Amino acid sequence: NWTGDMEIALGGVYSNETWAQAAAGAFDERWQSALRAVYNKWYSKRTVYLRFAYQFNAGWTVWSINSSSVAAFKTAWSRFYYLVQ
């Protein structure tokens, strides 16, 4: 029954995955499916804020980035952005 704005953390990689795989498109289908579900459930009802790989720079998350994964993360973020469009 929530009628306010919605904030959803979406995207990222699991513990057995890498940002390089994400940059190559390995998770596009999963991300697109999740985005479709968000759109179908929430879009017409409220404002939805998507947070891609929420707290990716925290260091304690499975999907954290480091100096060796920055380029792959940027490419993965770009892929996710275009899926949202």
Side-chain angles (χ1 to χ4, degrees):
N1 296 327
W2 179 256
T3 59
D5 293 348
M6 180 68 64
E7 179 179 329
I8 300 174
L10 195 61
V13 297
Y14 298 127
S15 60
N16 60 338
E17 300 172 339
T18 67
W19 283 112
Q21 290 172 310
F27 314 127
D28 287 1
E29 187 176 318
R30 177 175 77 206
W31 292 344
Q32 194 166 41
S33 177
L35 288 165
R36 216 175 293 115
V38 168
Y39 180 87
N40 291 336
K41 178 87 173 165
W42 303 110
Y43 180 74
S44 65
K45 300 176 184 171
R46 61 194 43 91
T47 300
V48 175
Y49 299 97
L50 294 176
R51 293 189 180 262
F52 177 73
Y54 185 62
Q55 296 186 338
F56 66 89
N57 60 344
W60 52 266
T61 63
V62 173
W63 51 89
S64 295
I65 62 167
N66 56 40
S67 59
S68 65
S69 59
V70 170
F73 174 80
K74 287 180 180 180
T75 301
W77 188 96
S78 184
R79 292 186 77 89
F80 185 86
Y81 174 82
Y82 285 106
L83 291 172
V84 172
Q85 302 305 310

